[in-house]
Amino acid sequence: MASGAKSFLADAGYGEQELDANSALMELDKGLRSGKLGEQCEAVVRFPRLFQKYPFPILINSAFLKLADVFRVGNNFLRLCVLKVTQQSEKHLEKILNVDEFVKRVFSVIHSNDPVARAITLRMLGSMASIIPERKNAHHSIRQSLDSHDNVEVEAAIFAAANFSAQSKDFAGGICNKISEMIQGLATPVDLKLKLIPILQHMHHDASLASSSRQLLQQLVTSYPSTKMVIVTLHTFTLLAASSLVDIPKQIQLLLQYLKNDPRKAVKRLAIQDLKLLANKTPHTWSRENIQALCECALQTPYDSLKLGMLSVLATLSGTIAIKQYFSIAPGTTATTARSFDLVKLAQECCYHNNRGIAAHGVRVLTNISASCQEKDLLVLEQDAVFGLESLLVLCSQDSSPGAQATLKIALTCMVKLAKCRPHLSQSVVESLLTQLHSAQDASRILMCHCLAAIAMQLPVLGDGMLGDLMDLYKVIGRSATDKQQELLVSLATVIFVASQKALSSEVKNVIKQQLENVSNGWTAYRIARQASRMGNHDMARELYQSLLTQVASEHFYFWLNSLKEFSHAEQCLTGLQEEDYSSALSCIAESLKSYHKGIASLTAASTPLNPLNFQCGFVKLRIDLLQAFSQLICTCNSLKTSPPPAIATTIAMTSGNDLQRCGRISTQMKLSMEEFRNLATRYGDLYQSSFDADSATLRNVELQQQSCLLISHAVEALILDPESASFQEYTLSGAAHVESEYERRMMSVFNHVLEEVESLNRKYAPVSYLHTACLCNAVIALLKVPLSFQRYFFQKLQSTSIKLALSPSPRNPAEPIAVQNNQQLALKVEGVVQHGSKPGLFRKIQSVCLNVSSTLQSKSGQDYKIPIDNMTNEMEQRVEPHNDYFSTQFLLNLVILGTHNITVESSVKDLNGIVWKTGPKTTIFVKSLEDPYSQQVRLQQQQGQPPSQQQQQQQRTAYSRF
C-alpha cells in the first residue's frame, strides 16, 4: 500500500525542515561570502530552489542583487553558475524591483579584457532580455561583439541577439541589416552563417521587417544549395511564416516543392517535419491542391521512412477542417474526379503495409474520413477501416516492443472513435477485440481492456455480450504476480464492472475475489475496489475495503479505508428500496445514515494538515444532508395520513385565502422541505465551484446531485405549493446531449420519468391528494435506487493548483493590528503566486485571478460619531492576470471610524472558458484606526470648553493646503 501514499501527499518539498525566507537567504548569503570556491558554487546553485519555495519579489530582488555582486567580482566559473541560475529562474526575473542596479552590476563585466567573461556577460544579458528589451547599452554591446575576433564571444553575441530580437522591435529592425551583411559577406565562415540564420525567425514584429527577412531567406536558399544551409534556411523560413501568419500558404507550397523536386533525403525529411508543424498550427490554410500534391508525393516515393512522414502529416490533417475542404466539390465542376480521391487510394494501399507505422497512419486517415464525412456514402471505406484495424490488432497484440505498443494505441484509439461515430460497426470491432484478448501479450491486453471499457461506456448494449468472454479470461490470467499481470487484473475487472451495468452476480464476484486471493497485492485490490465504487458496485467494494483494513501501515490509511468501507455499506443499504413501500424506505435510509455518520467520523480522522480531504468531506456531508432531506420528505408525505387536518382547517383556509391550509400542517412542512432542497442545491453549487482541480466526470457527478435537489424542490412546488405558476419548459432535458457514463444515463432517465409523472398530476386533485404525496415518495425512491458513483477526484487528484497571497503592510505578530490614522487611507498591496503540481493545466488553466477585499468593524473606540454609511464598509474587487504565475495589485481602503477593523482578502480564479471558481485562499489582517493628533487635540479642548487657538487653525490650513 506504500505507493498509495502518492495520492495523499502534496507534490514536493513539504517534508523538509522549514526555514522562513530570511533565514534561508541568510544561510545562502553565508555560503556566497565563504572563501572557498566550492561553497560559493554550492550556495549559487541552491538559489532556484529558494525561488521556488518563496516566490515573492522582496526575497527574489535581494537574492538576484547578491548574485549580481557575485557575478561582478567572481571568477568565470562562478559567473557561469550565476548564468545557469538566471536561465533556470527566467520566470522570476520580472519580480526584480531594482532592475537598474541589477543590470549595472552585471553590465560592468562587459568591459573586461577577458573575452570569456564578456561572452558570459552577453549570455547573461540575453537571458535577461525579457526585463530589459530596450536597453540601448546592451544593444550596442551585442552589435560590437558580433564583430569580435573571438569565436566564443561571437556565439554569445548571436545568442543574445536572438533573445533581444524576440523581445524588442527596435533591436530586431536595427540588427536585421547587420545580420544580412554578415550572412552574405564572404569573410564570414559557413558554420557562423548557420548560427546567424535562425535569428531571422524573430523578425516578425511588423510586415515590412518580415517581408525583407523572407526575401533574404529566399536569396539564401537559392544562393547556397548545400544540404546544411538549405535545411537551416528552410526551417527558419517556416518558423518566420508560422509567427507572422501571412505567408503560411506560400511556405506550404515552397516546402512541397522541395519535397517533390529535391533529391536529398535530409532535405525531404526537413520539409516533412515543417509541414507537420504547419499542419498542427494552421490546418485551415491547407488548400485541396496542397493535400493532393502531398498525396502524389507519398504515392510515388519508394522510401518507407519518407512515406511514413508524409502519411503522418496527412493523418494530422485528416482530423481537422482540411479534410472537409479536400472532399468538397468545387463550384462549377459537376462531379468529383477519381484523382481527387488519391488520399483514399493512398490510405487503402497503406492499410496493409508491412511497416506498422505506415499501416497505423493509413488506418487513422480512413477512420478520420469515416468520422468527418458522414454525409457521404462511405460503406467501402468503413469496411476497409475495420479490416485494417483488425489486421493491425493481430499484428501488434503479439508483440510487446514499445513500437508495437505505440502502434496498438493508435489502432485502439481509432476503434473507439469509429464505434462512437458509426455505432453499426461496433459489434464487429468488439468481437475482434475479444477474440484477440486470449492470445495477446499482457501489455497489449491492458490497452485492449481500456478500449473495451471505453466502447462499453458509449454503447452499454454491447456490455452483456462481452461478459462471458471476459470471465473466461479472468479465470485463466494472474498465474504470476508481475506488474503487468496486476495491471491486467485491474483493467479486466474495470471492463467487467462496466459490462455488467446492473448489480454484479455472485458468480462474477466469487471469480474476482478468488483471483485476488491467489496472486494480487493490496494495491491491486484497492484499485479494483476503487473502480467498483466508481461503477456503483458497492457490495463488492465493501468486501474489498474490509479485506484491506489490516494490510496498511499508517493510521491515516486505516481510517481512510474504514471510511470507504462504511460509505460502500451505506450505499448498499439503499439498493433494497422498493416503490410504494415507504416504511421500509425510511428504515433503509436510517440504516444508510448510520453507516454514513460512522464513515464521516473515520474520514475526518484520515485527514492530515497536508491532505485535508476537503472535497471528500464536503461531498459526503452533502450526501448525508440529502438523505436526511429525502427521509424528512417521505415523513412529511406520510403526515397527510398520520396527522389529518383539524376541523377548523377549512375555515382557516377560507379566511386566509390559501386553499392549501385545508390540508393542515403539511403545507408548512412542504414549504420547509422545498427550502431545504433549494439550500442543498446551492451547497452542491458551492462544492462544484470550489473544485477547480476536479476532472470533468467528477464535476458532472456533483452537477447531477445538484439537479436531483432542484428536481425535487420543483416537484414539491409544482404538485403542492404553487401548481398554477409551475412551468415545465425550462426543465425538459434534451435526450440529444451526449451521456458519458452509465450513472449519468440512469440519472437522466429518472429525471425524465419524474418530470413526466409530475406534469401529468399538475393542477389535478387540488389542493393535495394521496396521488401527489405518492408521486413525491416514488421520485425519492427512484433517485436513491440509482447507485451513487464515487468519481476519480474522490480518490485521486491529478491536477493540483493553489494560490499563495502576501499582503503588505503586514504585522510582525499576526495577532497585533496595523496602526493607521483615520484621516489617511490605507494602501493595501496584494501579491500572489500560483503554485502547480506535477501536471499543471491538465483539466483547466487560470486566465485571471479575482481579488475581493472587504473590511468590517470589529470593535469601536472613542465617541460614536454620525458617519455617512458609505464610509462604514469597504467592498472592492479587482481582476488581475498572472504572468509567469505571479500577480500583484493595490487597494485604497477608507477607515474613518475609530476602532479595530477586520480586513479580509479572498481570491477566486477565472478559467479560459470564463467560469469563476472559488479556490481561495482567504487571508485576514487587523487594522486599528486611530484618531489623528490634530482632531484629538481639538476634541480635548472642546471638552475643556476652550476654542482652538488661531495658530492651530493656521497649522491645519497649511497641512491641508498641500493636498
Side-chain angles (χ1 to χ4, degrees):
M1 294 297 291
S3 36
K6 286 181 187 172
S7 62
F8 284 88
L9 297 174
D11 269 29
Y14 286 111
E16 296 176 10
Q17 184 67 38
E18 286 289 333
L19 290 170
D20 69 81
N22 288 333
S23 309
L25 188 58
M26 294 281 283
E27 194 73 25
L28 292 182
D29 191 35
K30 205 187 293 177
L32 293 179
R33 293 172 189 278
S34 166
K36 296 176 185 172
L37 183 61
E39 286 180 12
Q40 285 181 304
C41 291
E42 188 189 348
V44 170
V45 298
R46 280 169 60 197
F47 270 91
R49 180 79 188 89
L50 179 75
F51 298 155
Q52 195 181 339
K53 212 167 183 181
Y54 307 105
F56 287 102
I58 193 156
L59 177 129
I60 283 169
N61 185 57
S62 306
F64 268 114
L65 288 176
K66 288 179 191 302
L67 287 172
D69 274 334
V70 171
F71 190 89
R72 182 165 55 89
V73 298
N75 59 22
N76 282 346
F77 183 66
L78 272 174
R79 286 178 184 138
L80 195 62
C81 290
V82 173
L83 169 64
K84 292 293 177 193
V85 167
T86 307
Q87 288 175 340
Q88 276 180 35
S89 311
E90 197 177 344
K91 73 174 195 176
H92 298 299
L93 287 174
E94 63 181 37
K95 298 174 197 169
I96 299 174
L97 306 172
N98 301 18
V99 176
D100 290 346
E101 188 58 37
F102 178 60
V103 174
K104 192 168 93 179
R105 293 178 194 185
V106 169
F107 195 74
S108 61
V109 186
I110 202 80
H111 306 299
S112 165
N113 290 332
D114 178 4
V116 176
R118 293 201 299 272
I120 295 172
T121 309
L122 284 166
R123 285 186 180 273
M124 187 77 174
L125 291 170
S127 304
M128 292 152 46
S130 59
I131 57 167
I132 52 163
E134 305 299 343
R135 291 284 165 122
K136 297 302 178 211
N137 52 358
H139 295 182
H140 178 67
S141 300
I142 294 166
R143 281 168 162 280
Q144 267 191 324
S145 297
L146 282 170
D147 296 327
S148 169
H149 297 293
D150 185 90
N151 276 345
V152 176
E153 189 176 352
V154 174
E155 283 180 22
I158 290 169
F159 170 82
N163 283 14
F164 272 93
S165 299
Q167 299 289 340
S168 166
K169 181 181 171 181
D170 286 354
F171 181 79
I175 203 79
C176 189
N177 292 335
K178 169 91 175 161
I179 299 287
S180 69
E181 281 169 25
M182 286 181 75
I183 293 171
Q184 290 170 314
L186 297 174
T188 314
V190 174
D191 62 329
L192 198 58
K193 287 181 181 179
L194 290 172
K195 288 170 183 165
L196 283 164
I197 290 169
I199 296 177
L200 296 170
Q201 69 182 283
H202 301 298
M203 306 294 168
H204 52 73
H205 297 284
D206 59 33
S208 59
L209 190 60
S211 173
S212 61
S213 301
R214 278 189 71 81
Q215 283 171 5
L216 171 59
L217 288 165
Q218 191 72 60
Q219 286 170 21
L220 290 174
V221 88
T222 47
S223 313
Y224 298 92
S226 70
T227 306
K228 279 185 178 177
M229 281 298 270
V230 169
I231 286 173
V232 171
T233 310
L234 272 181
H235 188 55
T236 306
F237 226 150
T238 304
L239 293 173
L240 178 63
S243 300
S244 57
L245 299 175
V246 286
D247 296 307
I248 290 176
K250 283 187 201 168
Q251 185 60 22
I252 292 171
Q253 284 172 355
L254 179 70
L255 291 168
L256 286 168
Q257 190 183 319
Y258 269 90
L259 181 61
K260 195 173 182 180
N261 302 331
D262 200 300
R264 293 168 291 190
K265 278 179 87 173
V267 175
K268 284 182 187 286
R269 271 199 294 271
L270 184 276
I272 289 169
Q273 179 192 319
D274 282 359
L275 284 168
K276 182 81 183 278
L277 186 148
L278 294 174
N280 279 315
K281 187 174 169 67
T282 55
H284 57 281
T285 57
W286 285 67
S287 67
R288 188 177 174 173
E289 289 71 30
N290 296 152
I291 298 175
Q292 181 65 25
L294 192 55
C295 290
E296 285 170 9
C297 287
L299 283 165
Q300 289 162 12
T301 183
Y303 300 110
D304 281 359
S305 62
L306 295 179
K307 185 172 272 193
L308 177 64
M310 292 181 220
L311 267 168
S312 165
V313 178
L314 287 167
T316 303
L317 287 168
S318 69
T320 64
I321 188 73
I323 197 73
K324 288 194 184 292
Q325 292 174 0
Y326 180 74
F327 280 107
S328 62
I329 299 169
T333 56
T334 51
T336 315
T337 57
R339 283 191 65 73
S340 73
F341 290 109
D342 272 357
L343 178 60
V344 176
K345 185 175 149 191
L346 173 68
Q348 287 170 330
E349 186 184 291
C350 293
C351 267
Y352 306 104
H353 201 281
N354 57 3
N355 181 312
R356 276 193 311 252
I358 291 176
H361 286 310
V363 169
R364 244 180 93 192
V365 171
L366 285 178
T367 305
N368 286 337
I369 292 171
S370 301
S372 305
C373 308
Q374 295 199 6
E375 63 280 356
K376 293 189 180 295
D377 183 24
L378 299 167
L379 193 62
V380 182
L381 253 179
E382 290 169 9
Q383 290 303 321
D384 278 341
V386 172
F387 294 150
L389 285 168
E390 286 175 359
S391 64
L392 260 183
L393 184 63
V394 174
L395 184 69
C396 299
S397 60
Q398 310 296 332
D399 188 348
S400 56
S401 67
Q405 294 301 298
T407 308
L408 183 63
K409 274 185 185 172
I410 293 173
L412 294 173
T413 308
C414 290
M415 282 181 168
V416 175
K417 190 169 186 177
L418 209 56
K420 184 178 177 182
C421 300
R422 305 279 178 166
H424 60 275
L425 300 173
S426 54
Q427 186 67 48
S428 58
V429 168
V430 168
E431 280 171 11
S432 60
L433 277 167
L434 289 171
T435 311
Q436 207 53 41
L437 256 180
H438 291 281
S439 57
Q441 295 281 329
D442 281 347
S444 307
R445 280 172 169 176
I446 293 164
L447 296 173
M448 288 156 79
C449 284
H450 292 169
C451 178
L452 280 169
I455 293 173
M457 281 277 208
Q458 288 169 4
L459 303 159
V461 71
L462 297 170
D464 291 336
M466 297 181 192
L467 212 49
D469 285 305
L470 293 171
M471 291 315 300
D472 293 342
L473 184 61
Y474 210 88
K475 288 171 189 169
V476 296
I477 63 160
R479 299 278 179 238
S480 64
T482 60
D483 286 349
K484 288 290 179 198
Q485 289 269 313
Q486 299 293 312
E487 184 74 31
L488 184 54
L489 282 170
V490 177
S491 303
L492 256 177
T494 306
V495 186
I496 290 167
F497 293 148
V498 175
S500 56
Q501 293 165 32
K502 307 284 183 255
L504 290 174
S505 67
S506 56
E507 183 197 347
V508 174
K509 279 199 285 190
N510 290 335
V511 171
I512 293 177
K513 280 195 288 189
Q514 187 62 45
Q515 279 297 77
L516 288 179
E517 283 167 17
N518 291 346
V519 290
S520 85
N521 57 33
W523 181 238
T524 305
Y526 173 70
R527 289 176 67 196
I528 291 176
R530 203 167 66 180
Q531 290 292 8
S533 292
R534 192 173 149 211
M535 300 300 168
N537 295 310
H538 297 294
D539 51 344
M540 177 87 201
R542 186 184 66 80
E543 290 172 27
L544 290 175
Y545 292 134
Q546 177 71 54
S547 68
L548 289 169
L549 277 175
T550 54
Q551 294 185 35
V552 287
S554 151
E555 194 180 48
H556 293 295
F557 291 160
Y558 171 83
F559 284 124
W560 167 247
L561 286 172
N562 191 48
S563 67
L564 292 176
K565 182 202 79 174
E566 293 293 351
F567 300 150
S568 299
H569 182 249
E571 287 301 325
Q572 194 189 341
C573 293
L574 298 173
T575 52
L577 291 169
Q578 297 294 327
E579 280 197 14
E580 311 291 341
D581 189 357
Y582 308 137
S583 59
S584 75
L586 284 171
S587 60
C588 284
I589 293 173
E591 189 64 31
S592 175
L593 279 168
K594 198 159 79 178
S595 289
Y596 258 123
H597 282 298
K598 283 185 197 169
I600 192 74
S602 199
L603 186 66
T604 311
S607 61
T608 63
L610 297 182
N611 189 37
L613 303 176
N614 291 332
F615 174 80
Q616 290 85 338
C617 290
F619 186 77
V620 171
K621 280 173 184 168
L622 277 168
R623 182 67 177 169
I624 291 170
D625 290 350
L626 182 60
L627 288 175
Q628 282 173 335
F630 280 152
S631 176
Q632 185 60 45
L633 181 61
I634 295 174
C635 290
T636 302
C637 289
N638 286 345
S639 73
L640 193 61
K641 300 172 188 173
T642 57
S643 171
I648 60 162
T650 313
T651 317
I652 295 170
M654 287 173 72
T655 52
S656 66
N658 184 356
D659 201 27
L660 193 58
Q661 294 288 340
R662 281 194 306 167
C663 304
R665 64 193 287 271
I666 193 172
S667 58
T668 53
Q669 294 286 88
M670 280 294 180
K671 194 170 271 184
L672 289 171
S673 195
M674 187 183 77
E675 289 301 323
E676 178 65 21
F677 279 107
R678 285 197 175 154
N679 181 32
L680 278 168
T682 308
R683 285 170 59 198
Y684 269 117
D686 292 342
L687 181 68
Y688 184 102
Q689 278 195 309
S690 64
S691 308
F692 178 78
D693 293 318
D695 56 292
S696 55
T698 305
L699 291 175
R700 182 69 187 125
N701 193 352
V702 174
E703 205 173 15
L704 286 168
Q705 302 301 315
Q706 183 186 25
Q707 283 173 356
S708 64
C709 295
L710 289 170
L711 177 76
I712 296 293
S713 75
H714 172 69
V716 170
E717 186 178 28
L719 287 176
I720 296 166
L721 294 178
D722 193 3
E724 294 304 318
S725 61
S727 157
F728 290 88
Q729 295 304 314
E730 60 189 298
Y731 286 93
T732 50
L733 300 161
S734 58
H738 183 61
V739 178
E740 290 290 337
S741 65
E742 178 62 18
Y743 175 70
E744 183 177 352
R745 193 176 286 108
R746 289 170 72 176
M747 285 295 274
M748 295 300 262
S749 112
V750 170
F751 290 171
N752 284 324
H753 174 69
V754 169
L755 279 171
E756 284 166 16
E757 290 288 311
V758 171
E759 196 167 5
S760 68
L761 280 174
N762 186 32
R763 301 181 198 176
K764 291 178 186 170
Y765 318 112
V768 178
S769 73
Y770 297 127
L771 287 171
H772 293 131
T773 55
C775 178
L776 284 173
C777 292
N778 287 336
V780 167
I781 290 170
L783 285 170
L784 288 177
K785 275 173 76 175
V786 181
L788 181 70
S789 167
F790 289 97
Q791 289 291 345
R792 183 194 285 275
Y793 192 59
F794 196 85
F795 302 96
Q796 222 180 356
K797 196 173 184 178
L798 292 184
Q799 172 183 311
S800 171
T801 314
S802 61
I803 291 175
K804 203 172 173 182
L805 293 180
L807 309 184
S808 53
S810 60
R812 290 184 181 178
N813 179 1
E816 75 181 42
I818 299 161
V820 63
Q821 288 185 13
N822 71 332
N823 64 343
Q824 297 173 347
Q825 289 184 318
L826 174 70
L828 181 70
K829 185 176 184 184
V830 181
E831 296 173 291
V833 285
V834 182
Q835 297 176 316
H836 301 285
S838 55
K839 296 177 182 174
L842 181 66
F843 300 122
R844 53 199 67 82
K845 293 178 181 172
I846 293 176
Q847 185 189 48
S848 59
V849 178
C850 312
L851 293 166
N852 187 287
V853 174
S854 59
S855 70
T856 51
L857 187 64
Q858 289 285 97
S859 58
K860 282 186 181 180
S861 60
Q863 292 178 332
D864 195 3
Y865 298 114
K866 296 281 183 195
I867 302 287
I869 198 75
D870 296 348
N871 297 335
M872 295 283 279
T873 56
N874 288 289
E875 276 281 348
M876 298 185 202
E877 187 171 287
Q878 278 194 45
R879 188 160 285 163
V880 281
E881 287 192 17
H883 189 254
N884 287 330
D885 292 336
Y886 169 77
F887 59 89
S888 114
T889 187
Q890 287 190 322
F891 296 88
L892 272 179
L893 301 176
N894 227 349
L895 304 170
V896 178
I897 306 175
L898 304 182
T900 307
H901 295 259
N902 180 4
I903 295 176
T904 306
V905 180
E906 189 173 7
S907 64
S908 52
V909 302
K910 190 178 180 184
D911 68 9
L912 296 174
N913 296 326
I915 301 167
V916 176
W917 302 82
K918 293 175 182 169
T919 52
K922 194 187 262 188
T923 310
T924 304
I925 56 168
F926 293 100
V927 176
K928 191 163 191 178
S929 179
L930 304 171
E931 192 175 7
D932 69 291
Y934 175 74
S935 305
Q936 193 176 9
Q937 197 173 354
V938 170
R939 185 169 53 76
L940 286 170
Q941 286 179 352
Q942 282 175 346
Q943 282 173 357
Q944 292 164 4
Q946 295 174 0
S949 68
Q950 197 71 29
Q951 186 188 357
Q952 285 166 342
Q953 285 180 354
Q954 185 63 40
Q955 279 175 355
Q956 182 195 12
R957 211 173 293 126
T958 316
Y960 280 117
S961 64
R962 289 182 201 159
F963 299 100

